[in-house]
Amino acid sequence: MHNWWAGGGWGMGFGWVFMLLPLVVFAGLVFVVVRLYDSSGTRESSPWTAREILDERFSKGEINREDYEMRRKALSG
């Protein structure tokens, strides 16, 4: 009868799995932490409100007074 564990048969075939398992678990944890940090919304949210953008466009002359007044009224209600 052959001893699989002592002879290096079946146990050697799956030994690499047990060596890589801690690395895979660590990489998974790092991935989860990074995804949770990125989903906090700090990078995606804009610091400008729609009214501030409208004011900026009017001050740069990109829209005239009539457009500005019309859009400001639309934003307020």
Side-chain angles (χ1 to χ4, degrees):
M1 184 173 208
H2 184 67
N3 186 351
W4 285 98
W5 296 105
W10 186 79
M12 280 298 260
F14 290 100
W16 62 273
V17 172
F18 297 112
M19 289 176 57
L20 289 179
L21 189 62
L23 293 174
V24 171
V25 170
F26 179 73
L29 288 174
V30 169
F31 177 76
V32 168
V33 168
V34 167
R35 292 293 291 179
L36 287 174
Y37 179 74
D38 282 347
S39 67
S40 66
T42 56
R43 197 173 48 164
E44 297 169 2
S45 63
S46 174
W48 291 56
T49 64
R51 177 65 190 267
E52 290 171 336
I53 295 171
L54 182 63
D55 292 343
E56 180 77 15
R57 290 187 64 199
F58 179 65
S59 67
K60 288 182 177 180
E62 294 176 2
I63 57 175
N64 60 22
R65 178 170 290 282
E66 296 160 359
D67 287 338
Y68 173 77
E69 295 293 333
M70 179 183 67
R71 293 175 189 201
R72 193 182 70 188
K73 286 179 186 176
L75 286 175
S76 64

